[in-house]
């Protein structure tokens, strides 16, 4: 990396950016297929993976945006 990265307001502590996007897409796919709650889909995708509460909230919000805006899940 380079000096100053990550910035002080970087939201990720346990996830990498690519993981965040991948998990959110998978959770959105589960919501579309199983018609379950977003939080349940994120929990299913994460399995036993430990993430911060902020990251979990961000995953739920990202999955919601994917579903509501009709973005691709793959």
């Amino acid at each position: 990396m380079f000096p100053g990265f990550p910035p002080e307001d970087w939201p990720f502590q346990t996830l990498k950016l690519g993981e965040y996007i991948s998990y959110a897409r998978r959770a959105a796919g589960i919501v579309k297929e199983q018609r379950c709650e977003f939080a349940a889909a994120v929990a299913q995708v994460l399995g036993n993976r430990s993430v911060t509460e902020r990251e979990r909230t961000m995953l739920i919000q990202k999955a919601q945006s994917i579903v509501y805006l009709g973005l691709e899940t793959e």
Side-chain angles (χ1 to χ4, degrees), residues 2-18:
F2 55 90
F5 189 84
E8 290 181 27
D9 61 348
W10 187 252
F12 303 106
Q13 292 180 3
T14 60
L15 292 174
K16 295 178 182 166
L17 182 58

Side-chain angles (χ1 to χ4, degrees), residues 13-72:
Q13 292 180 3
T14 60
L15 292 174
K16 295 178 182 166
L17 182 58
E19 291 175 315
Y20 163 72
I21 293 168
S22 176
Y23 283 143
R25 286 179 175 165
R26 288 173 40 201
I30 290 171
V31 168
K32 289 178 181 180
E33 292 171 6
Q34 300 177 9
R35 302 212 180 262
C36 63
E37 294 183 9
F38 287 95
V42 167
Q44 184 177 341
V45 166
L46 289 174
N48 292 329
R49 172 95 189 245
S50 178
V51 297
T52 65
E53 194 58 38
R54 182 177 184 185
E55 290 170 325
R56 185 177 303 277
T57 300
M58 289 171 52
L59 282 168
I60 291 169
Q61 292 171 343
K62 183 66 175 175
Q64 288 172 334
S65 71
I66 291 169
V67 170
Y68 295 145
L69 295 175
L71 303 175
E72 292 295 322

